Amino acid sequence: MARIIGVANQKGGVGKTTTAINLAASFAVLEYRTLLVDADPQANSTTGVGFDLQNITQSLYDCMINNAEAKDVILKTEIPNLDLIPSHIDLVGAEIEMINYPNRETVLKQLIESVRSNYDFIIIDCSPSLGLITVNALTASDSVIVPVQCEFFALEGLGKLLNTIKIVQSRLNTQLVIEGILMTMYDGRLRLCNQVVAEVRRHFDDLVFNTIVHRNSRLAEAPSVGKPVILYDANSKGSMNYLNLSKEILQKNNMTKIPQEERTIEL
């Protein structure tokens, strides 16, 4: 049964979509069956794994509004073990269309549950807002990763997001936990970056991942060619950062697989 992880921050430009794409790709490369759900109307996760929006006939919008089944919307990416539920600009209007739904906060949860048993991980890329779609994503998730940029206003708005998570925990999803806070766009040469990391660790302590995502040109270039960084440049610092993050999450949840050679030795 898949572990469902939402990637959320209502603040834009913090590396949320970059994290969703590259974490999902890292799990897939480590041979975990992974589904990436693009719940952001900007559809950057969809284009970031190589799909042209012009060629997409059905998206998450059709699942949430037109009762399309998730299994009929899922696309296979060029990475083995990595599938996608694509997004579309139509998703912008979904919040208004869902306003009178009796269980409007659980629509995404219900459609993901129908394919959950087919995967080890489901990663949801949330939109940069705290609207109904993001609430749906948090309600559907087992845990949430919060990317935080290493900049002066890093903690601004974080309290509001954590408050939304608390509301979802108390009313809609009592099982929801914070998987971790991920520091992104780190540049070790800048004193400010080091101060921000120290400040976030002081505030949130164990919630902060050990892995830090460095500012990396290959990581920034990868979406322009529609590839996760691990396909674009497997040896880049960005690729290594996200592989390390995936391994940290696996260890934290006791999900590390025994390598094939170790298994044969034991037999």
Side-chain angles (χ1 to χ4, degrees):
M1 191 70 83
R3 182 168 185 81
I4 304 173
I5 303 175
V7 183
N9 193 330
Q10 81 276 19
K11 201 167 181 289
V14 297
K16 179 181 54 60
T17 296
T18 300
T19 296
I21 291 171
N22 291 297
L23 178 61
S26 296
F27 282 137
V29 165
L30 293 171
E31 299 186 348
Y32 291 85
R33 298 165 303 159
T34 307
L35 174 66
L36 176 60
V37 179
D38 191 351
D40 184 349
Q42 295 174 82
N44 291 335
S45 278
T46 302
T47 56
V49 292
F51 290 97
D52 184 342
L53 297 180
Q54 305 291 326
N55 298 331
I56 286 171
T57 53
Q58 283 190 305
S59 68
L60 183 63
Y61 173 83
D62 295 286
C63 293
M64 298 186 81
I65 303 300
N66 299 331
N67 297 320
E69 289 193 40
K71 65 180 175 61
D72 297 330
V73 176
I74 289 172
L75 302 172
K76 292 210 168 297
T77 72
E78 62 178 314
I79 298 181
N81 298 314
L82 181 59
D83 293 348
L84 171 79
I85 292 183
S87 185
H88 192 275
I89 191 65
D90 288 350
L91 201 58
V92 167
E95 298 200 354
I96 295 166
E97 294 179 63
M98 290 163 62
I99 208 76
N100 292 321
Y101 281 25
N103 299 310
R104 59 181 181 268
E105 296 92 355
T106 61
V107 175
L108 185 57
K109 181 183 175 71
Q110 287 164 8
L111 72 92
I112 285 178
E113 286 296 330
S114 67
V115 295
R116 185 172 186 171
S117 60
N118 299 335
Y119 296 97
D120 299 308
F121 284 99
I122 298 175
I123 309 295
I124 308 174
D125 181 19
C126 302
S127 60
S129 75
L130 293 180
L132 186 55
I133 302 292
T134 299
V135 169
N136 260 265
L138 294 176
T139 304
S141 297
D142 297 313
S143 63
V144 57
I145 291 173
V146 183
V148 174
Q149 189 177 353
C150 295
E151 55 148 43
F152 184 69
F153 295 112
L155 296 175
E156 191 182 72
L158 197 54
K160 197 174 281 187
L161 173 64
L162 295 176
N163 193 46
T164 301
I165 290 170
K166 270 187 190 158
I167 292 168
V168 171
Q169 284 170 326
S170 64
R171 299 182 191 171
L172 298 163
N173 182 1
T174 54
Q175 307 300 312
L176 181 67
V177 296
I178 295 174
E179 190 74 48
I181 293 170
L182 177 68
M183 304 306 299
T184 64
M185 303 182 197
Y186 174 79
D187 186 339
R189 297 167 299 179
L190 302 178
R191 187 193 300 170
L192 176 64
C193 280
N194 292 302
Q195 287 173 338
V196 169
V197 171
E199 182 76 355
V200 172
R201 287 199 191 281
R202 189 170 66 80
H203 267 82
F204 298 104
D205 195 24
D206 292 345
L207 281 180
V208 186
F209 284 112
N210 293 324
T211 303
I212 293 177
V213 178
H214 291 70
R215 195 175 285 279
N216 179 248
S217 59
R218 309 303 271 171
L219 195 55
E221 290 163 10
S224 67
V225 294
K227 291 179 185 292
V229 71
I230 203 159
L231 277 193
Y232 183 61
D233 185 349
N235 296 317
S236 66
K237 186 165 269 188
S239 179
M240 295 301 169
N241 289 161
Y242 279 108
L243 266 175
N244 287 339
L245 176 64
S246 63
K247 289 172 182 173
E248 189 174 341
I249 291 168
L250 288 167
Q251 286 172 346
K252 184 178 173 186
N253 293 293
N254 298 316
M255 292 178 71
T256 313
K257 288 179 178 174
I258 301 168
Q260 192 67 43
E261 58 272 20
E262 285 184 31
R263 247 179 283 165
T264 48
I265 288 166
E266 284 174 5
L267 292 171

PDB file of all heavy atoms in Angstrom, residues 8-28:
ATOM      1  N   ALA A   8       3.924  20.687  -0.087  1.00  0.00           N
ATOM      2  CA  ALA A   8       3.090  21.883   0.017  1.00  0.00           C
ATOM      3  C   ALA A   8       3.824  23.074   0.611  1.00  0.00           C
ATOM      4  O   ALA A   8       4.618  22.938   1.544  1.00  0.00           O
ATOM      5  CB  ALA A   8       1.848  21.567   0.869  1.00  0.00           C
ATOM      6  N   ASN A   9       3.535  24.230   0.064  1.00  0.00           N
ATOM      7  CA  ASN A   9       3.901  25.518   0.642  1.00  0.00           C
ATOM      8  C   ASN A   9       3.149  26.567  -0.159  1.00  0.00           C
ATOM      9  O   ASN A   9       3.248  26.588  -1.391  1.00  0.00           O
ATOM     10  CB  ASN A   9       5.410  25.776   0.569  1.00  0.00           C
ATOM     11  CG  ASN A   9       5.827  26.947   1.453  1.00  0.00           C
ATOM     12  OD1 ASN A   9       5.052  27.883   1.674  1.00  0.00           O
ATOM     13  ND2 ASN A   9       7.042  26.909   1.958  1.00  0.00           N
ATOM     14  N   GLN A  10       2.355  27.409   0.516  1.00  0.00           N
ATOM     15  CA  GLN A  10       1.563  28.393  -0.229  1.00  0.00           C
ATOM     16  C   GLN A  10       2.417  29.507  -0.809  1.00  0.00           C
ATOM     17  O   GLN A  10       1.976  30.284  -1.627  1.00  0.00           O
ATOM     18  CB  GLN A  10       0.447  28.975   0.642  1.00  0.00           C
ATOM     19  CG  GLN A  10       0.848  30.092   1.593  1.00  0.00           C
ATOM     20  CD  GLN A  10       1.423  29.559   2.891  1.00  0.00           C
ATOM     21  OE1 GLN A  10       1.854  28.407   2.970  1.00  0.00           O
ATOM     22  NE2 GLN A  10       1.446  30.378   3.919  1.00  0.00           N
ATOM     23  N   LYS A  11       3.679  29.553  -0.388  1.00  0.00           N
ATOM     24  CA  LYS A  11       4.620  30.541  -0.908  1.00  0.00           C
ATOM     25  C   LYS A  11       5.189  30.000  -2.227  1.00  0.00           C
ATOM     26  O   LYS A  11       5.660  28.871  -2.275  1.00  0.00           O
ATOM     27  CB  LYS A  11       5.737  30.734   0.116  1.00  0.00           C
ATOM     28  CG  LYS A  11       6.510  32.023  -0.005  1.00  0.00           C
ATOM     29  CD  LYS A  11       7.334  32.197   1.272  1.00  0.00           C
ATOM     30  CE  LYS A  11       8.117  33.492   1.247  1.00  0.00           C
ATOM     31  NZ  LYS A  11       9.228  33.468   0.295  1.00  0.00           N
ATOM     32  N   GLY A  12       5.138  30.769  -3.289  1.00  0.00           N
ATOM     33  CA  GLY A  12       5.666  30.319  -4.575  1.00  0.00           C
ATOM     34  C   GLY A  12       7.182  30.427  -4.630  1.00  0.00           C
ATOM     35  O   GLY A  12       7.802  31.139  -3.841  1.00  0.00           O
ATOM     36  N   GLY A  13       7.784  29.712  -5.564  1.00  0.00           N
ATOM     37  CA  GLY A  13       9.217  29.833  -5.813  1.00  0.00           C
ATOM     38  C   GLY A  13      10.124  29.255  -4.756  1.00  0.00           C
ATOM     39  O   GLY A  13      11.263  29.690  -4.600  1.00  0.00           O
ATOM     40  N   VAL A  14       9.636  28.248  -4.012  1.00  0.00           N
ATOM     41  CA  VAL A  14      10.453  27.661  -2.939  1.00  0.00           C
ATOM     42  C   VAL A  14      11.018  26.281  -3.321  1.00  0.00           C
ATOM     43  O   VAL A  14      11.662  25.632  -2.513  1.00  0.00           O
ATOM     44  CB  VAL A  14       9.654  27.541  -1.612  1.00  0.00           C
ATOM     45  CG1 VAL A  14       9.241  28.907  -1.105  1.00  0.00           C
ATOM     46  CG2 VAL A  14       8.438  26.632  -1.783  1.00  0.00           C
ATOM     47  N   GLY A  15      10.744  25.858  -4.558  1.00  0.00           N
ATOM     48  CA  GLY A  15      11.251  24.545  -4.988  1.00  0.00           C
ATOM     49  C   GLY A  15      10.275  23.419  -4.751  1.00  0.00           C
ATOM     50  O   GLY A  15      10.661  22.254  -4.681  1.00  0.00           O
ATOM     51  N   LYS A  16       8.986  23.754  -4.690  1.00  0.00           N
ATOM     52  CA  LYS A  16       7.967  22.750  -4.395  1.00  0.00           C
ATOM     53  C   LYS A  16       7.814  21.748  -5.548  1.00  0.00           C
ATOM     54  O   LYS A  16       7.884  20.533  -5.347  1.00  0.00           O
ATOM     55  CB  LYS A  16       6.648  23.479  -4.114  1.00  0.00           C
ATOM     56  CG  LYS A  16       5.460  22.613  -3.800  1.00  0.00           C
ATOM     57  CD  LYS A  16       4.234  23.444  -3.584  1.00  0.00           C
ATOM     58  CE  LYS A  16       3.952  24.371  -4.732  1.00  0.00           C
ATOM     59  NZ  LYS A  16       3.734  23.679  -6.048  1.00  0.00           N
ATOM     60  N   THR A  17       7.611  22.271  -6.751  1.00  0.00           N
ATOM     61  CA  THR A  17       7.450  21.390  -7.915  1.00  0.00           C
ATOM     62  C   THR A  17       8.747  20.654  -8.219  1.00  0.00           C
ATOM     63  O   THR A  17       8.736  19.462  -8.540  1.00  0.00           O
ATOM     64  CB  THR A  17       6.981  22.209  -9.138  1.00  0.00           C
ATOM     65  OG1 THR A  17       5.684  22.740  -8.850  1.00  0.00           O
ATOM     66  CG2 THR A  17       6.909  21.353 -10.389  1.00  0.00           C
ATOM     67  N   THR A  18       9.878  21.343  -8.099  1.00  0.00           N
ATOM     68  CA  THR A  18      11.185  20.710  -8.296  1.00  0.00           C
ATOM     69  C   THR A  18      11.332  19.522  -7.349  1.00  0.00           C
ATOM     70  O   THR A  18      11.807  18.448  -7.737  1.00  0.00           O
ATOM     71  CB  THR A  18      12.315  21.733  -8.035  1.00  0.00           C
ATOM     72  OG1 THR A  18      12.169  22.819  -8.946  1.00  0.00           O
ATOM     73  CG2 THR A  18      13.688  21.112  -8.218  1.00  0.00           C
ATOM     74  N   THR A  19      10.899  19.712  -6.100  1.00  0.00           N
ATOM     75  CA  THR A  19      10.978  18.635  -5.108  1.00  0.00           C
ATOM     76  C   THR A  19      10.049  17.483  -5.463  1.00  0.00           C
ATOM     77  O   THR A  19      10.449  16.314  -5.401  1.00  0.00           O
ATOM     78  CB  THR A  19      10.659  19.190  -3.707  1.00  0.00           C
ATOM     79  OG1 THR A  19      11.670  20.133  -3.350  1.00  0.00           O
ATOM     80  CG2 THR A  19      10.597  18.085  -2.663  1.00  0.00           C
ATOM     81  N   ALA A  20       8.809  17.794  -5.854  1.00  0.00           N
ATOM     82  CA  ALA A  20       7.854  16.733  -6.197  1.00  0.00           C
ATOM     83  C   ALA A  20       8.365  15.884  -7.359  1.00  0.00           C
ATOM     84  O   ALA A  20       8.367  14.649  -7.296  1.00  0.00           O
ATOM     85  CB  ALA A  20       6.499  17.346  -6.539  1.00  0.00           C
ATOM     86  N   ILE A  21       8.830  16.549  -8.420  1.00  0.00           N
ATOM     87  CA  ILE A  21       9.318  15.832  -9.611  1.00  0.00           C
ATOM     88  C   ILE A  21      10.521  14.960  -9.267  1.00  0.00           C
ATOM     89  O   ILE A  21      10.572  13.765  -9.583  1.00  0.00           O
ATOM     90  CB  ILE A  21       9.721  16.831 -10.724  1.00  0.00           C
ATOM     91  CG1 ILE A  21       8.496  17.548 -11.298  1.00  0.00           C
ATOM     92  CG2 ILE A  21      10.481  16.118 -11.849  1.00  0.00           C
ATOM     93  CD1 ILE A  21       8.849  18.694 -12.244  1.00  0.00           C
ATOM     94  N   ASN A  22      11.504  15.562  -8.619  1.00  0.00           N
ATOM     95  CA  ASN A  22      12.782  14.875  -8.440  1.00  0.00           C
ATOM     96  C   ASN A  22      12.761  13.855  -7.311  1.00  0.00           C
ATOM     97  O   ASN A  22      13.491  12.858  -7.362  1.00  0.00           O
ATOM     98  CB  ASN A  22      13.901  15.904  -8.254  1.00  0.00           C
ATOM     99  CG  ASN A  22      14.152  16.666  -9.540  1.00  0.00           C
ATOM    100  OD1 ASN A  22      14.537  16.089 -10.551  1.00  0.00           O
ATOM    101  ND2 ASN A  22      13.887  17.965  -9.530  1.00  0.00           N
ATOM    102  N   LEU A  23      11.912  14.063  -6.311  1.00  0.00           N
ATOM    103  CA  LEU A  23      11.747  13.045  -5.277  1.00  0.00           C
ATOM    104  C   LEU A  23      11.044  11.824  -5.870  1.00  0.00           C
ATOM    105  O   LEU A  23      11.461  10.680  -5.643  1.00  0.00           O
ATOM    106  CB  LEU A  23      10.951  13.606  -4.094  1.00  0.00           C
ATOM    107  CG  LEU A  23      10.672  12.627  -2.957  1.00  0.00           C
ATOM    108  CD1 LEU A  23      11.963  12.105  -2.339  1.00  0.00           C
ATOM    109  CD2 LEU A  23       9.805  13.291  -1.874  1.00  0.00           C
ATOM    110  N   ALA A  24       9.991  12.069  -6.664  1.00  0.00           N
ATOM    111  CA  ALA A  24       9.269  10.962  -7.310  1.00  0.00           C
ATOM    112  C   ALA A  24      10.202  10.185  -8.236  1.00  0.00           C
ATOM    113  O   ALA A  24      10.215   8.943  -8.237  1.00  0.00           O
ATOM    114  CB  ALA A  24       8.068  11.505  -8.092  1.00  0.00           C
ATOM    115  N   ALA A  25      11.016  10.907  -9.016  1.00  0.00           N
ATOM    116  CA  ALA A  25      11.951  10.254  -9.938  1.00  0.00           C
ATOM    117  C   ALA A  25      13.004   9.451  -9.175  1.00  0.00           C
ATOM    118  O   ALA A  25      13.395   8.349  -9.600  1.00  0.00           O
ATOM    119  CB  ALA A  25      12.617  11.300 -10.829  1.00  0.00           C
ATOM    120  N   SER A  26      13.456   9.983  -8.037  1.00  0.00           N
ATOM    121  CA  SER A  26      14.459   9.272  -7.231  1.00  0.00           C
ATOM    122  C   SER A  26      13.902   7.967  -6.672  1.00  0.00           C
ATOM    123  O   SER A  26      14.570   6.925  -6.704  1.00  0.00           O
ATOM    124  CB  SER A  26      14.949  10.168  -6.086  1.00  0.00           C
ATOM    125  OG  SER A  26      15.618  11.301  -6.585  1.00  0.00           O
ATOM    126  N   PHE A  27      12.668   8.004  -6.173  1.00  0.00           N
ATOM    127  CA  PHE A  27      12.030   6.767  -5.698  1.00  0.00           C
ATOM    128  C   PHE A  27      11.924   5.753  -6.840  1.00  0.00           C
ATOM    129  O   PHE A  27      12.180   4.557  -6.652  1.00  0.00           O
ATOM    130  CB  PHE A  27      10.634   7.050  -5.142  1.00  0.00           C
ATOM    131  CG  PHE A  27      10.617   7.634  -3.752  1.00  0.00           C
ATOM    132  CD1 PHE A  27       9.763   8.680  -3.430  1.00  0.00           C
ATOM    133  CD2 PHE A  27      11.427   7.131  -2.750  1.00  0.00           C
ATOM    134  CE1 PHE A  27       9.737   9.221  -2.148  1.00  0.00           C
ATOM    135  CE2 PHE A  27      11.411   7.649  -1.464  1.00  0.00           C
ATOM    136  CZ  PHE A  27      10.561   8.701  -1.167  1.00  0.00           C
ATOM    137  N   ALA A  28      11.548   6.237  -8.022  1.00  0.00           N
ATOM    138  CA  ALA A  28      11.384   5.345  -9.182  1.00  0.00           C
ATOM    139  C   ALA A  28      12.711   4.694  -9.569  1.00  0.00           C
ATOM    140  O   ALA A  28      12.770   3.496  -9.847  1.00  0.00           O
ATOM    141  CB  ALA A  28      10.806   6.130 -10.361  1.00  0.00           C
TER     142      ALA A  28
END
